[in-house]
Amino acid sequence: MSLTFLTGTERSQPLPTCFLELGDSGCAAVANEPTGSGFSLDRTLGLGSPQIHGLLVDDDNLLGFGIYPGDRLIVDRSANPVVDQYLVVRPQGAHEYSLRLLAPDPRGGLLLKAARPSIPSLVLDDLGSIEIWGVVLWVVSYVGRKQP
């Protein structure tokens, strides 16, 4: 599975000046929209906080979790993981990070399940053998059409 760590500076940008000026016919409809303390995607996702990071899903290995190539994962490095959360992990000796679901082990303890059933689960009995990089809080998907 391939994840790309996005830079900490990738943030949404403020609206262009024309969106705030009433006289511009190309932006007049948007100029009448509320501004100020309304909805902020950055604020909702926690972007800008030092512990919040974005990752880009590069391939289709997470389809079993309903996560698609091009989706962005918003990850909190300071959150304590709980059952049924997605974790970005790296087993000891591995070079790449992967996304796993923290699940109860029917025999007791905890498992880190992969999105594909053909990939074996990791038993989380020794926290020293697995680096938990962060907890996924949000999956951001683009559902519009790309413009030519």
Side-chain angles (χ1 to χ4, degrees), residues 53-144:
H53 296 271
L55 291 97
L56 174 67
V57 177
D58 293 326
D59 57 34
D60 65 358
N61 284 320
L62 298 176
L63 291 176
F65 290 153
I67 300 172
Y68 294 86
D71 284 356
R72 269 95 173 146
L73 307 177
I74 307 302
V75 180
D76 187 341
R77 299 235 25 227
S78 67
N80 291 319
V82 296
V83 170
D84 293 330
Q85 283 186 313
Y86 297 115
L87 308 180
V88 178
V89 300
R90 182 171 58 177
Q92 188 174 27
H95 298 327
E96 292 185 347
Y97 288 90
S98 63
L99 189 76
R100 298 288 180 121
L101 176 67
L102 184 60
D105 185 342
R107 297 170 289 191
L110 295 170
L111 295 174
L112 291 170
K113 292 185 170 187
R116 293 186 176 201
S118 60
I119 300 173
S121 296
L122 301 172
V123 177
L124 194 60
D125 56 358
D126 177 16
L127 290 178
S129 66
I130 296 175
E131 175 191 356
I132 299 175
W133 190 82
V135 175
V136 176
L137 299 180
W138 298 90
V139 178
V140 181
S141 296
Y142 179 77
V143 295

